[in-house]
Amino acid sequence: MNRKTPKEKLMTYLILFVFAVFFIVPMYVLLSTSLKTFANVSIQTMWQLPSEYSFAGFVEAFKELAPNVFNSFYLVIPATLISAMLGSLNGYVLSHWKFKGSDTLFALILFGMFIPYQSVLFPLVQFMQTIGLYGSIPGLILVHVVYGLPITTLMFRNYYKDVPKALTEAAKVDGANIFSIYRYIFFPISIPSFVVVFIWQFTNIWNEFLFAVTLTKTQSQPITVALVNLAGSQVVQWNVQMAGALLTALPPLIVYILFGKYFIKGMLAGSVKG
Amino acid sequence: MEGFYMKRKHKESLTSLAILSPSIITLAIFVYGFIGRSVQISLLDWDTFTKFIMGAKDYVGLENYIGLFQEERFQTDLWNTLYFTLFFILGCLAIGILLSLILNNKPKGSYFLQNLYLFPMAISFVVTGTVWRWIFSPGRLPNDPRGINLLFERLGLGSLQWGWFTSTFSFLNFNVALIAVIIAAVWQFSGYTMAMWLAGLRGIDQQLIEAARIDGASKWQIFTQILFPIQKPITLSAIIVLAHVSLKAFALIYSMTGSGPNNVTDIPAVYMFEATFRSNRYSTGSAIAIVLLAMVGLLIIPYLVNSFKEE
Amino acid sequence: MLLKKSALLSVILMVTLMFVFSFSALAQNENEVEIFSWWTGGGEEEGLNALIDVFNENYPNIEVINATVAGGAGANAKAVLKTRMVGGNPPDSFQVHGGAELINTYVETGMMEPITGLLEEWGVKDKFNQQILELSSYEGEIYSIPLNVHRGNVMFSNKQVLAEHNIEPPTDMESFLTVLEELSQTDVVPLALGDTNKWTATHIFETILVAKLGAEGYNGLWNGETAADDPRIREAFVYFDKLMQYVNEDHSALTWQDATQMVRDGEAAFNIMGDWAEGYLKTLGWTPGKQFGWLTVPGTKGTFMVITDTFGLPKGAPHPENAKKWLKTVASLEGQDTFNPIKGSIPARLDADKSKYDVYLTDSMNDFAKNTLTPSIAHGSAAPEGFITALNDNINGLVTTGDIEGSFEEFQKDMAEYVR
C-alpha cells in the first residue's frame, strides 16, 4: 500500500487532519484554561484564549506536585517492569508450554482484570495491613503488579500465539530449554508488545487514584493524589487543576515519545510471524 | 521412549507451573479471595456502618440482589452499561484501526500524530472529564448556547445544537445523553487501540501483502481477508481491554456528568461507589460488584471458548 | 551459560525487590500528630496551615503530619477515612461534620473517645454555642470539637441585576415566587442552579423543608417528633417543584461554582448556596454588600442551617496525648479566630473577635448567636449517610420528572428505612 495516487494521499491527510482536530480541541481548552487567571475561568469563556496570560496556575501546581513526583517514579517504574516481565513469561508459558488445565488457568487469570476495585477496598486495606505493607509504596507496587497481571498476560499471550509452534519444537530438539527459548527466540521479538504493555501499565499506574489514595500515607502519596488535592473541597481552581494535569501528563508523554520510536522503526523481523 | 516422553512432559508442566506460580498465588488472594469476601457480604444484611463494624453474620440470601434488580436506578444502569460498552468499543476499534492503517504507511508527521493520538490517555480523567463537561454543556438554547453548541452556531451548523448529556430522551432504553460520554471515552482510548494494532501490523510480512496486491486484491480485500484475520487475536485482546476500561469508566463519568438527571449517565460503578462509601450500604455495593462480575463472565466466556477452539 | 544468565537475572530481581520492600518499615515517630482532613485547595489549605502554625507556636516539638485528601466536598476523604478506621489504622484526629456523620458512623460504633472532660478541664465548654455542641454529643458525652460553621440557608443576589429590573429582595415565600415570576419575563435566569453533583438540589430542598416545617418541626424529623407523612412536607415538595420552574435549563451540566458564576456574570439574579459561595464571589473580586447582596432563604428567617466541621479523638489513635494538644488548639479562641477568617467561615465559639471578619460573616455571627440551629441533611449533619444518598436520588428524580406524589412517598419510605 505504498504507491498512492494524489487523490488517495489527499484523503489520507484529510482523515488524519480531521482526527487531529478531534484530538486537539479538548487539549486546546485544557491548555488555554491553564494559562488563565482564576477569575477569568468559566464555561462561558472556555473557547477564548486568555485575555491575560498567567503562569500562576503552573507555578502553583508545580509547587504542590513536585514533592510527590519521586514517589510516583518509585512506584511506576518497578511496577511496570515487574508486571510486564511476569506478563510476558505468563503469556509465553500459556501459549507455548500448555499443560493440562492451562487454558482454564488462563481464563481464571484473565477474569481478574474485571474485578471492580471499589468493592475490594476494605478487604484489601485489611490484607495489606496484615502483611505489613499498608501505607508504603512497595505495598502499592505489589497491588499494581497483581492487578496488572491479567492484562499483561493477555496481551503477551495473544501476541505469542501466532509464533509457529514448529519454532519451539525445533529449538527443543536442539536441546534448548524453556528459559533459553524464551530468552533467544521470544524475548527479542516481543519489543512491539513490550512497548504496548509499557505504555498501558505506565500510564495506568501513573494516573491511578483509588489505590494510591487508600493504600498510602502522606509521605508516600504519588502525584495523582497531589493532583486531586489541588482542588478545594468546595471551590476548584480550574486553571491550577488543568495546569497540574498537563504537568502530571508529561512523564507518560515522554514514555510515548521514547517507546513510540519502536513502532516507527518497525524493527520486528517479518519472517517470524504470518 | 514413551516413558521418557511422559516424564519430560511432566517435568515441562512442572516448570510451566513454577513460572506461573507467583501470578497464581497472588491472584488467588487479591482476586478470588476478595471476590469470595464480596459474595459473602452481598448475602448479608450489612447495610449500615454499625452492622458492617459489628460483623454479625445474618445471611439474607439473595434479598440484596432481588432488591437491586427491582430498583429503577439499577435497571437504568444496566442498560447504560450495555450501550456505553458497545458503542465505546466499536468507536475505539473503528478509529484506532483506521488510524493505525494510515500511520503504518508512515506518512509525513506520523511520529507526531501517533503521540498526539496517544496523549489523551496520559491525562487525568478528573480533568478531562471537566473539559468534556464544559465542551458538551449545552447552555440555554436557543439564545445562549455554550461549549460545542456555541461552536456549531459560529460555524453555521445551528441545527446540530441539542442538550447533549442533559437530555433525558431515550430510545430503546438508550439514553442519548450517553453519546457525549461515549465521545469523551473514545477520545481518551482510541489511541490505545491504534497502538495495539500498530504493534501487530509491524509483525506482518510485507511480502504477503505485496503478493496479494500483485494478484489484484483491492485495499478493502487486503484488509478484510489478510490483515483482519491475522490481527484477530490482537483485536480480541483490544476488545477485552476496552471492556475492562468501560466497566471502570468511573472516574471519567464521575467528574464529567455524575449520574445525570434521572440517572441518564449513571453506571453501576458510580452506584457502587455511592452505595459503599456514601450511604454505607456495603451489602448492596457488594451485590452490584458481583452482578458486574457475572456480566463480565457472560461477556468473556464466549471469547475464551472461541479462542481455545481455534488453537 | 544460559542458566547462569537467567540465574543472574533472578538474583538481580530478588535484590531489587528486597531493596524495594525494605523501605516499608516506616519509622514511627513519637513526636508527631497526624491530622486528617479534606482541606486542600483554595482558602481552606491556608486556613489549616495557619491553624497548624498556631499549634506549633505552643508545641514546637511536635510535628504535624497534614494528611489531606481532596475531591467532591470530602467524598474521597470520607471513603479513605472509613477504610482506615475499619482497618484499625486511625489518624490522631480527623475532620468530620458534626451530627449524624460523626455520631451515627463513628460514635455509635464505639470508635471515638468522649472528650467532655477535656473541654471542662480547659474551661471552654460554655464558650461554644450550646446548640452546636449538641450535634457532637451522644448520650450526654461530647465527642468532637467544632472548629467552624458555614450557613446553608443563604441566598445570594446580583445587586445590579435586581436594580435594573426594579426587584426588591423577597421577604417571604409568596413574594419570592412573585419575584421569580417577574424575573422570568426578562432575559435573566431567576434562580441559578448547578446540580451535576446532586447535593446542590438537595441543599435547596432542605432549606424549603425548614421554611415549611419551621425550625422545630424540621429538627423534630430526626428525633421522631415530626411525622414523615406530615402534610407540610408535601407542601415543601410542591414549593420546591415550583422553584424548579425558574432555574436555568442547563442546570444538570453545571456545578454550584458555575451557578454562582452566573450570578456574578449578571446572567442570573439569585443563587441559593452555602456561604462558601461568599468566599468564592470574593475571590472573583466582588465585595459583599457592594456588588452582591445576601438574605436568608425566604421563609427561613430566624433559623440557621448549620454545616460544621469538627475534630475528635478516635480510639486507638497512635499519639493520643498529641491529639489532645491539637484538640486544645482547635478549641482555643486563637485557633478559631485564626482559621475562620481565612477559610471564610465563622467560629463555633461565641466570644470571637468580630473585627476579624467581613461584613457578611459578622452578620452571620449575629444570627448564629441568636437563631435556632438546624442541621443540614445534604452536608451530613441531620441524618444517616444512607438517607442522604436516597434523598439526593429522590430530589434529582423530582427535578427531572416533577412527580411530587412519588417523591413524597419515596421520602416517607426512606425516612422509615434509614432514620428510624
Side-chain angles (χ1 to χ4, degrees), chain A residues 1 14 27 34 37 67 76-77 85 106 145 153 172 190 193 202 213 219 224 226 252 263-264 267 272:
Chain A
M1 293 202 270
L14 196 68
M27 290 187 214
S34 67
T37 58
V76 174
I77 293 170
M85 208 50 226
F106 172 61
V145 167
T153 303
K172 262 198 256 184
S190 317
S193 209
F202 192 98
V213 77
Q219 307 91 320
T224 34
F263 284 143
I264 295 300
M267 58 179 299
V272 180

Side-chain angles (χ1 to χ4, degrees), chain B residues 215-268:
Chain B
D215 288 346
S218 72
K219 289 209 161 112
W220 179 248
Q221 282 170 328
I222 292 176
F223 174 69
T224 54
Q225 286 168 26
I226 301 176
L227 295 182
F228 198 79
I230 293 177
Q231 294 275 70
K232 203 175 153 197
I234 286 179
T235 313
L236 283 173
S237 51
I239 290 174
I240 297 284
V241 170
L242 291 171
H244 150 92
V245 170
S246 85
L247 282 175
K248 292 176 177 170
F250 172 75
L252 180 70
I253 290 187
Y254 204 65
S255 61
M256 182 172 165
T257 63
S259 36
N262 220 8
N263 299 317
V264 286
T265 58
D266 199 35
I267 54 166

Side-chain angles (χ1 to χ4, degrees), chain A residues 17 24 26 36 42 75 79 86 99 112 128 131 188 206 225 240 272:
Chain A
F17 176 75
I24 283 175
K36 287 174 186 173
S42 77
L75 158 73
L86 284 175
F99 50 90
M128 295 308 280
I131 60 171
W206 184 268
V225 181
V240 181
V272 180

Side-chain angles (χ1 to χ4, degrees), chain A residues 234-255:
Chain A
Q234 299 292 0
V235 179
V236 181
Q237 292 181 295
W238 284 113
N239 55 334
V240 181
Q241 194 79 54
M242 297 201 179
L246 287 171
L247 289 176
T248 310
L250 285 180
L253 181 66
I254 291 167
V255 168

Side-chain angles (χ1 to χ4, degrees), chain C residues 36-52:
Chain C
F36 185 92
S37 76
W38 57 83
W39 284 324
T40 46
E44 305 162 347
E45 188 185 16
E46 284 94 61
L48 180 61
N49 286 337
L51 185 63
I52 291 173

